[in-house]
Amino acid sequence: QVQLVESGGGLVQAGGSLRLSCAASGNIFSINDMGWYRQAPGKQRELVAEITSGGRTNFADSVKGRFTISRDDAKNTVDLQMNSLKPEDTAVYYCRVKYIGYSKRIAYDRWGQGTQVTVAS
């Protein structure tokens, strides 16, 4: 089994910063894409940012220029640095990892449990 442990959520004032971190552990042979999604109350889950194994990144238009994503393949972690936060960034943020299993070399898609980010105006 593979576990994803997220950390770094919390309450911040508008204009502030937070850094989310997600660590994957367990039966992993290799990791492909890693990313962060978010879901606000009453809304669908949406992509925030993702990063491929080759380092290519993709961001939602609403966070471009404010958020950055990075990964450490030695530690199987993906971080989301969020700057200039706005009240509309308030949501539960989910880590997502697509990986190849070690025991069975097939592709898996795993989500974290979510971490709350609240931006006060």
Side-chain angles (χ1 to χ4, degrees):
Q1 292 294 331
V2 169
Q3 291 186 329
L4 301 183
V5 177
E6 299 158 338
S7 61
L11 173 65
V12 65
Q13 293 293 318
S17 298
L18 281 176
R19 188 177 183 87
L20 305 183
S21 184
C22 174
S25 63
N27 192 14
I28 299 172
F29 176 73
S30 65
I31 295 180
N32 297 327
D33 298 345
M34 307 180 85
W36 288 92
Y37 290 69
R38 66 186 181 188
Q39 188 167 18
K43 295 187 177 181
Q44 290 189 329
R45 190 173 298 188
E46 63 176 1
L47 171 71
V48 177
E50 60 186 353
I51 183 167
T52 69
S53 58
R56 188 175 61 191
T57 58
N58 181 39
F59 294 90
D61 288 343
S62 60
V63 307
K64 284 180 180 177
R66 300 188 297 123
F67 291 10
T68 59
I69 188 169
S70 60
R71 60 189 284 169
D72 184 334
D73 290 332
K75 298 180 180 178
N76 288 344
T77 59
V78 57
D79 291 350
L80 183 70
Q81 178 66 42
M82 305 184 292
N83 299 326
S84 302
L85 282 161
K86 304 175 181 180
E88 50 264 44
D89 294 318
T90 296
V92 177
Y93 283 69
Y94 297 90
C95 172
R96 182 182 188 184
V97 174
K98 298 179 182 179
Y99 67 96
I100 303 296
Y102 191 86
S103 299
K104 297 180 180 180
R105 304 293 170 89
I106 59 176
Y108 294 89
D109 188 348
R110 178 79 66 178
W111 292 83
Q113 79 284 357
T115 185
Q116 177 70 46
V117 170
T118 302
V119 184
S121 57

